[in-house]
Amino acid sequence: MTRSTRIKFRLLALSNVRSLVMLNVLFFIPTLLFCYSLVRIVPVMLSYINTLNVSVLSAAAEYDKLVVAVISPAARREAAGGRSARSVLQSAGTEEKYEDGREHVYVFARKDFRGVRSHVFRNDGEALRRRAIGTAEVPLSNEPAVVRDKEGRTVATVRVESMKQGSVEVLFYRAKPLLPTARPLLHLLLLLTGWTAVSGALGGINDYTQRVVFHEPKGFRYLLHAVRKHFGRSLLVSLFFSVTIGAVCANIYFYIFLVASDVSVFIAAINVWMLLFFLLVLFWVYPLLVLDSDESVWRIMKKSLFVSFDNFTFTLRGIGILILILIISCFTLLLFPGISFFFGFVNTALKEVSSRYSRLDVA
């Protein structure tokens, strides 16, 4: 991202701030509906995923928010002389022993978990037992583990399903459900409605802002025409990237927070690079979708991939600026700078890149 691109975008934003903000206002309700439903439904989905292997069957009344960490031993060996099997877990150059090679459950207050998170993933059993409300071993008979505090009082009853050897799983527990029973379906319906409205309109919004960037300002009647024109293709592109990026983010969450092992960290790192790859492609897709409206969506994606890697540093810096714009927009409920400035910046970058290719063609 060059300095001239940033200057051109700043001048564009200052000279068209009224129309760009008005564009955000027009799409404020569907955007807010989508964001609100997403914020409400994602914690419910994560809570459901977290309880696939670890679930809290009951908890003491005084604990409404808990964090349950289950650590599985990394290796097992038979002790000589007929003694019981022991598991030895190597962690940060120290040796931690677990009786009978069984998983251990540690229960923390939610407010105290931040201070012990590093100990969980280092499997520092001594530090965990010292900071935990209660601990327990998972029975070999697949019965629930009863976690008791230092005074012998029951803190929680936890069921642990099959876990991979050497893995760590963390569950955030709330006594009250995040949403009432009927609400998840309602929020899911609102999420789909908001997503469809916003995703289908992205092509038209980009078309309108592209006309502004290329000094061809249009009225809001043209905006409605552009939304109808690009609705289907925009929805198709949005569906593809929503599914792929959503799946990659879910993998990152799963392998870092639910299956914490050496292999899972490696897989999570691969998924981080995959996320960057899809963001690089996504950066140019909507501007090219409007600029080359006669080409298929698949060819648009391939062209976006080519432009991204042909201008890798330029695109990478552009993604960083877009993330900054998105963070600022969150504090203003996406009214400013918002989605119009988002596309205004991308189209300014496209104009800069297009001029380079035009000079090459002339040469």
Side-chain angles (χ1 to χ4, degrees):
M1 189 59 56
T2 62
R3 183 171 179 269
S4 64
T5 305
R6 294 193 296 269
I7 293 175
K8 290 177 182 178
F9 171 66
R10 192 179 304 120
L11 294 175
L12 170 77
L14 291 175
S15 58
N16 297 276
V17 62
R18 182 177 179 180
S19 59
L20 293 177
V21 171
M22 184 62 66
L23 185 60
N24 292 333
V25 172
L26 288 176
F27 290 92
F28 175 71
I29 292 179
T31 303
L32 185 64
L33 179 66
F34 169 71
C35 294
Y36 172 76
S37 302
L38 187 66
V39 170
R40 297 289 288 176
I41 203 71
V42 166
V44 177
M45 296 174 63
L46 293 180
S47 177
Y48 174 76
I49 294 172
N50 289 342
T51 57
L52 292 178
N53 289 337
V54 179
S55 57
V56 176
L57 302 182
S58 63
E62 61 267 29
Y63 300 113
D64 59 342
K65 293 182 180 180
L66 296 172
V67 178
V68 180
V70 183
I71 300 177
S72 177
R76 295 183 179 182
R77 67 180 182 183
E78 292 293 332
R83 290 181 295 176
S84 61
R86 302 175 70 88
S87 172
V88 180
L89 178 64
Q90 299 293 340
S91 173
T94 61
E95 184 179 88
E96 187 68 35
K97 298 182 179 180
Y98 291 83
E99 296 292 340
D100 302 323
R102 284 181 280 178
E103 292 87 3
H104 275 59
V105 181
Y106 301 90
V107 176
F108 307 91
R110 180 76 66 90
K111 58 184 177 61
D112 298 332
F113 183 68
R114 183 182 298 273
V116 299
R117 186 189 297 269
S118 60
H119 297 293
V120 170
F121 294 104
R122 289 204 309 266
N123 298 306
D124 189 349
E126 182 178 351
L128 294 176
R129 284 191 291 271
R130 187 170 59 251
R131 302 284 295 275
I133 298 175
T135 64
E137 287 186 346
V138 177
L140 295 175
S141 58
N142 291 329
E143 295 179 356
V146 179
V147 182
R148 306 183 192 278
D149 60 16
K150 296 176 178 61
E151 285 75 29
R153 294 172 297 187
T154 300
V155 176
T157 304
V158 180
R159 179 179 295 280
V160 180
E161 302 296 337
S162 58
M163 286 181 58
K164 291 184 178 181
Q165 195 172 351
S167 63
V168 177
E169 298 208 18
V170 178
L171 169 67
F172 292 87
Y173 167 80
R174 292 172 60 99
K176 296 181 180 179
L178 294 172
L179 290 174
T181 306
R183 292 287 180 85
L185 294 177
L186 174 61
H187 281 82
L188 183 60
L189 179 61
L190 294 177
L191 177 68
L192 292 176
T193 303
W195 178 87
T196 302
V198 173
S199 299
L202 289 180
I205 296 173
N206 179 82
D207 192 344
Y208 181 85
T209 55
Q210 195 171 95
R211 301 282 73 77
V212 173
V213 170
F214 284 86
H215 305 291
E216 302 172 10
K218 302 287 185 178
F220 284 106
R221 182 177 297 179
Y222 177 82
L223 173 63
L224 298 178
H225 168 74
V227 169
R228 289 196 301 268
K229 178 181 178 181
H230 301 289
F231 189 87
R233 284 155 55 88
S234 178
L235 198 63
L236 183 60
V237 170
S238 300
L239 178 62
F240 174 80
F241 282 100
S242 296
V243 171
T244 53
I245 292 179
V248 171
C249 291
N251 278 340
I252 294 173
Y253 177 84
F254 179 81
Y255 285 109
I256 289 181
F257 294 102
L258 300 185
V259 186
S261 63
D262 294 338
V263 176
S264 67
V265 171
F266 175 74
I267 297 175
I270 294 176
N271 279 273
V272 170
W273 284 107
M274 289 179 61
L275 177 62
L276 177 60
F277 171 81
F278 284 116
L279 289 178
L280 287 169
V281 178
L282 180 61
F283 186 87
W284 301 105
V285 162
Y286 288 103
L288 292 175
L289 188 73
V290 173
L291 200 64
D292 300 322
S293 58
D294 295 332
E295 295 192 358
S296 66
V297 172
W298 177 244
R299 286 182 61 85
I300 292 296
M301 289 185 185
K302 290 197 295 184
K303 185 177 291 188
S304 177
L305 178 63
F306 168 77
V307 175
S308 293
F309 282 93
D310 195 41
N311 304 271
F312 183 78
T313 304
F314 185 89
T315 306
L316 201 60
R317 291 175 179 173
I319 291 175
I321 294 176
L322 288 185
I323 292 175
L324 180 61
I325 293 175
L326 180 61
I327 293 173
I328 297 174
S329 301
C330 290
F331 292 99
T332 62
L333 295 179
L334 302 177
L335 287 175
F336 183 85
I339 193 170
S340 60
F341 285 81
F342 196 92
F343 280 121
F345 175 76
V346 174
N347 281 294
T348 303
L350 177 66
K351 186 177 181 181
E352 185 81 8
V353 170
S354 299
S355 64
R356 299 177 187 176
Y357 292 113
S358 298
R359 287 196 296 268
L360 288 176
D361 291 339
V362 172

